[in-house]
Amino acid sequence: MVVGAGPAGASAAAAAAGKGLKTLLIEKWEKAPQEVFDVAIGAYLMPFLPFRIPQELLTWDIDRLVFRCGRISIERAGGAWKSYAVDRERFDSWLRERAVEEGAELRLGTEVLDLELRGGMVAGVRVTGGDVLRPGVLIAADGTDSAVRRKAGLNRQDPIIGQGIGYELEGAELLYPHGDQFFFGSFAPGGYGHLFPLGENRAGVGVGSILTGDIESCLEGFLELPGVREQVGGARVVKRKRAPVPFDRLSEGIQYGNLLLAGDAASQNIKPLMEGYLPSIICGDIAGKSAAEAILEGREMRYEERVRKRLGLLFDESDKYVGLIKELTGVREEVQYLLLMGLCANVISPGEALELKGRGAEAVRMRLEEWKGSRYQQVRSRMLEALGLIYFRLSSML
């Protein structure tokens, strides 16, 4: 049984059903939620997917990321920085259809009301209408505020959960039609503003922050930046979207007896840019296959181990940013914003950020300008990133 028909849940259901396991996929909404963010997916993760993405779902090529803080800007292009914009609603719908085609039953408007726990296992799941279901394995892919995780008593105390808010726009005149732009400044302490293309004259614009507060005001401040206003000031708002973003680990583990956590319910995203869509699909697929093999073949459940083998290097590196970014929110504002930009652009390492945070904004600014002005450092960064991807791919195959 899979709870949540988003990217992780639909992928898990397709994998389990595809192995021949009787699979129920439930979703609390009667139809797809409207407040989902269109996303850019990193091309470097696409080889790890359990399927080839249909070309029509890749709505726009993004060939570079542009990081801006005040008057400083850094561009990263090619290699690990290549990505594609996708329409979340269409992609999510395709994933659900794929699960059904593989043999899963999709039941909409069905919510988990309670869990029956016995001996560290989920013995029963009471759902909308009062039915008590008794799955061999329960996969919780029901989002950041996972009802399953909460009812199983697995929530960590006071994890940091960010907030994201934004608009989908038509009529935007982007400075970089194929560039994903990130802005750092006082409008989004502990986060960034984001402006990225979705298609011809279409764009997404938003703000994400790990600091609680008035996220609406953060978005308003971001839209008033001259560098943003000149690109989207005449655009028309098509959709408004808002969602929580799991930054911290939300539970101590992702496998508890016959209960598996996947996607946002397991905080399976890659920091500092919070890339979670493809990792959710990959981990959901692993969860579904692990469940099927455990039930149909009597194998030991090895979901957590297999996730570590597949994406562990990325998640371990990602986790280094959690404590660091928390720490940076306590330093002087300009230093914080410059360091966040350097970290996101992979120009400043986590260790170097710790060294620079006490040396003032001018020292950080000089470090960023030094990288921009050095052909050697730029080539070195690209080579190290390329070698890192090769090592990541090879290690996941062993």
Side-chain angles (χ1 to χ4, degrees):
M1 177 177 175
V2 183
V3 182
S11 183
K19 288 277 191 179
L21 183 64
K22 184 178 180 181
T23 304
L24 173 64
L25 172 61
I26 70 169
E27 171 58 57
K28 69 178 180 179
W29 303 103
E30 288 285 356
K31 59 180 182 178
Q34 297 300 302
E35 290 197 350
V36 292
F37 286 94
D38 289 334
V39 294
I41 58 174
Y44 74 100
L45 283 173
M46 290 169 65
F48 296 90
L49 292 171
F51 50 75
R52 181 180 290 275
I53 300 174
Q55 192 62 37
E56 62 269 20
L57 294 179
L58 303 175
T59 58
W60 199 251
D61 288 358
I62 297 174
D63 61 16
R64 71 194 59 233
L65 274 66
V66 183
F67 302 89
R68 304 171 68 176
C69 182
R71 289 181 235 173
I72 298 179
S73 68
I74 290 175
E75 292 189 27
R76 303 302 316 272
W81 305 94
K82 168 71 176 174
S83 60
Y84 299 91
V86 299
D87 182 322
R88 269 293 305 271
E89 290 181 30
R90 286 179 60 204
F91 206 134
D92 285 4
S93 178
W94 180 81
L95 289 170
R96 288 190 292 271
E97 289 169 5
R98 177 173 171 269
V100 172
E101 288 171 1
E102 290 289 349
E105 176 191 349
L106 174 60
R107 193 180 297 179
L108 300 176
T110 304
E111 193 170 357
V112 172
L113 301 179
D114 204 1
L115 299 179
E116 181 183 325
L117 304 174
R118 191 180 305 140
M121 306 284 280
V122 176
V125 183
R126 185 163 63 86
V127 299
T128 305
D131 291 342
V132 177
L133 308 176
R134 302 197 179 277
V137 175
L138 177 63
I139 299 174
D142 51 338
T144 305
D145 186 25
S146 168
V148 174
R149 192 187 63 238
R150 184 175 65 253
K151 293 177 186 300
L154 301 176
N155 280 355
R156 288 184 67 212
Q157 187 172 5
D158 299 325
I160 293 180
I161 297 175
Q163 291 291 324
I165 185 172
Y167 301 131
E168 182 180 323
L169 306 171
E170 286 187 355
E173 297 182 0
L174 298 183
L175 184 61
Y176 299 90
H178 291 273
D180 199 348
Q181 301 175 63
F182 292 84
F183 296 77
F184 302 84
S186 59
F187 55 85
Y192 52 76
H194 195 195
L195 176 57
F196 62 103
L198 297 173
E200 192 72 43
N201 297 321
R202 293 179 56 242
V205 60
V207 167
S209 174
I210 65 168
L211 298 181
T212 56
D214 187 356
I215 195 72
E216 301 265 1
S217 295
C218 291
L219 178 59
E220 291 173 8
F222 176 54
L223 292 173
E224 287 303 312
L225 290 181
V228 176
R229 190 170 60 244
E230 67 186 15
Q231 298 184 70
V232 302
R236 179 172 65 90
V237 175
V238 178
K239 294 178 184 176
R240 180 186 184 280
K241 305 175 182 185
R242 180 170 183 167
V245 181
F247 182 74
D248 244 337
R249 291 190 179 187
L250 304 177
S251 58
E252 295 300 334
I254 60 173
Q255 176 181 327
Y256 299 86
N258 65 339
L259 171 58
L260 311 180
L261 306 178
D264 281 351
S267 194
Q268 288 168 333
N269 57 56
I270 299 170
K271 304 163 187 69
L273 295 180
M274 310 304 294
E275 182 173 9
Y277 196 71
L278 294 192
S280 291
I281 293 173
I282 295 165
C283 293
D285 179 71
I286 296 171
K289 288 174 179 172
S290 299
E293 291 167 3
I295 294 173
L296 298 176
E297 303 173 22
R299 296 191 193 181
E300 180 183 355
M301 188 81 73
R302 296 173 54 210
Y303 168 59
E304 192 154 8
E305 176 187 334
R306 291 170 72 177
V307 167
R308 286 200 59 78
K309 179 181 177 182
R310 196 71 165 158
L311 295 179
L313 284 176
L314 285 180
F315 287 150
D316 287 347
E317 191 66 24
S318 169
D319 285 345
K320 294 178 183 178
Y321 290 93
V322 176
L324 174 59
I325 293 177
K326 288 182 195 175
E327 191 171 338
L328 290 183
T329 60
V331 304
R332 283 175 292 177
E333 288 189 346
E334 190 176 4
V335 175
Q336 175 195 144
Y337 310 143
L338 290 166
L339 285 175
L340 281 174
M341 182 178 80
L343 288 166
C344 289
N346 201 31
V347 170
I348 294 175
S349 69
E352 192 176 9
L354 287 173
E355 179 186 337
L356 286 169
K357 72 182 180 70
R359 292 173 53 188
E362 188 58 31
V364 184
R365 193 179 294 108
M366 287 177 61
R367 173 67 183 92
L368 296 172
E369 293 288 6
E370 177 190 30
W371 185 92
K372 282 189 64 177
S374 170
R375 177 72 175 166
Y376 166 75
Q377 290 193 36
Q378 293 173 35
V379 171
R380 180 175 180 272
S381 292
R382 286 197 295 271
M383 290 181 62
L384 288 174
E385 288 161 359
L387 289 171
L389 285 179
I390 292 171
Y391 178 70
F392 166 53
R393 289 176 182 174
L394 289 174
S395 66
S396 69
M397 295 167 62
L398 297 177

